Amino acid sequence: MAGKPVRAVNAIDQTRRMLSLVTYLRERPGARIADVARAFGITEDELVADLDLLPMCGTSFRGGDLLDIDTDGERIWWHNPAALGEEAAEPLRLAADEATALLVAARAVATLPGLREGDRQALLRATAKVETAAGEAAGASSRLSVTFESEGGVFADVDRAISERRRLWIRYYSPARDEVTEREIDPIRLVSVGHTYVEAWCRRSEARRTFRLDRVAEIRILDEPSAPPEVELRDLSEALVQPAAEDPEVVVEVGPGGRWVAEYYPHDSAEELSDGGLRITLRTPEPASLRRLALRLGRDGRIVSPPELADSARRAAAEALAAYDVPYGPAPEAAGARG
């Protein structure tokens, strides 16, 4: 719904919500989806997504005790609530490999930069209890360690900034322009679609942008409060990049070998051409990113407009061919131009 206030959603928020959801549903068999969504302050689509995930969860690492929860589209039913009840109150027993994996992971997470101190202390207390319960099995874990790649630290900083509602400064690599830029962003939420991204309001472009965490070269949490404008949270389950009506328009013509573009890129229209190709009109917040598409298409397509983007694609093709000592002229037979 347009105009709905931004509600930060991240992995930790979802985990907490789902833990509460388990208790809530056990006590309310046949609860209505609309009522549950309203109680948790989420949309019905978000609740259904949680319900799709819950049946993959169980009470141990070894399976066989998955939560049997489903919905008929209106109500929610839990078919084996005893799985978490007193009648199934078998003491949790960790095998040596499970205890080792859990302890190594817990110690690694406790070292993440940006982790809130309260969460860190709670994690360390829980780790100590597991060590005591594991006994000799805990010994192997002390000889192992895990080092997170840079994305882990970026994730922790972004998650902390969302939680504390603070602005971020980042140095970000944009492959479309092959450059590193400095930006201040107001983070909105973390999303995972193949890679992990932060959706944010970019103060440099004064627009909503999505940044891939492994392309963040440097990050700092600022003292300024994060104050993104009220924007509608988009459903990103279908595609991460979703054009907006105000984004610049780009026209691409492709031959029969380039018709796949209409399947993979959201577009406004796709008109049939006499040679079996398509004239595709689409929108994108960063038209320069389509230069890579032009190079990939080669003889199977070309950018028609805007003219400056078409010229930029031709120059990029000429530079690429020059690297291989291939002559390049004005004829439309090189990469990015369809003959």
Side-chain angles (χ1 to χ4, degrees):
M1 181 182 301
K4 182 179 179 181
V6 172
R7 177 172 47 82
V9 179
N10 56 54
I12 292 178
D13 288 337
Q14 185 182 24
T15 301
R16 290 170 176 159
R17 181 176 71 235
M18 291 181 68
L19 289 173
S20 300
L21 190 59
V22 168
T23 302
Y24 187 93
L25 294 178
R26 281 190 68 240
E27 299 173 353
R28 295 168 176 80
R32 292 183 179 276
I33 287 181
D35 294 340
V36 178
R38 186 162 49 250
F40 280 81
I42 59 177
T43 66
E44 293 185 22
D45 287 342
E46 288 174 314
L47 175 59
V48 170
D50 287 348
L51 295 176
D52 288 340
L53 183 59
L54 276 176
M56 303 178 190
C57 304
T59 57
S60 78
F61 298 119
R62 298 200 177 278
D65 54 2
L66 299 181
L67 305 182
D68 189 4
I69 300 174
D70 68 8
T71 175
D72 60 5
E74 182 179 355
R75 294 180 178 271
I76 304 167
W77 302 100
W78 189 334
H79 302 294
N80 64 338
L84 294 181
E86 292 182 0
E87 56 270 47
E90 177 182 344
L92 176 62
R93 301 182 185 278
L94 295 178
D97 60 335
E98 294 174 332
T100 299
L102 181 59
L103 289 169
V104 170
R107 293 194 189 103
V109 171
T111 65
L112 280 176
L115 186 65
R116 293 186 290 273
E117 188 58 29
D119 292 339
R120 191 190 313 277
Q121 293 303 319
L123 180 58
L124 291 175
R125 288 193 298 270
T127 303
K129 292 179 180 179
V130 174
E131 287 177 335
T132 300
E136 294 182 1
S141 68
S142 64
R143 298 189 293 272
L144 299 173
S145 64
V146 173
T147 301
F148 286 100
E149 296 181 359
S150 59
E151 182 176 321
V154 173
F155 181 98
D157 282 341
V158 173
D159 180 64
R160 178 184 168 193
I162 291 173
S163 176
E164 298 179 1
R165 300 184 182 276
R166 292 165 63 185
R167 187 171 296 179
L168 288 166
W169 172 89
I170 61 173
R171 290 182 62 245
Y172 186 76
Y173 171 68
S174 174
R177 294 185 296 274
D178 191 27
E179 65 178 3
V180 176
T181 58
E182 296 183 6
R183 303 167 182 259
E184 290 189 7
I185 62 173
D186 292 337
I188 297 172
R189 59 174 172 168
L190 284 158
V191 293
S192 180
V193 185
H195 296 276
T196 305
Y197 301 80
V198 56
E199 187 175 17
W201 186 263
C202 177
R203 293 297 172 181
R204 183 172 184 261
S205 57
E206 286 300 318
R208 177 165 49 184
R209 293 288 184 263
T210 305
F211 302 96
R212 209 168 104 177
L213 297 197
D214 61 354
R215 292 176 179 164
V216 176
E218 190 177 350
I219 186 170
R220 288 201 306 267
I221 301 177
L222 303 178
D223 292 332
E224 288 87 348
S226 173
E230 292 187 0
V231 295
E232 180 181 3
L233 290 178
R234 302 169 296 177
D235 178 9
L236 301 179
S237 59
E238 298 259 337
L240 184 68
V241 179
Q242 298 181 346
E246 64 271 15
D247 289 339
E249 183 181 275
V250 178
V251 178
V252 180
E253 288 188 355
V254 300
R259 293 179 66 95
W260 58 267
V261 173
E263 299 177 11
Y264 285 89
Y265 285 79
H267 55 276
D268 293 341
S269 64
E271 305 171 17
E272 293 284 345
L273 297 177
S274 59
D275 63 354
L278 293 172
R279 182 183 176 91
I280 302 170
T281 302
L282 52 85
R283 295 181 182 277
T284 174
E286 295 189 7
S289 64
L290 294 182
R291 285 182 302 187
R292 286 175 176 257
L293 172 63
L295 294 174
R296 181 179 178 185
L297 285 169
R299 296 174 182 270
D300 287 324
R302 69 188 180 97
I303 295 174
V304 177
S305 68
E308 59 272 17
L309 180 59
D311 292 342
S312 175
R314 292 191 184 94
R315 288 195 299 271
E319 292 170 0
L321 292 173
Y324 293 93
D325 296 325
V326 176
Y328 180 81
E333 283 136 28
R338 186 166 65 89

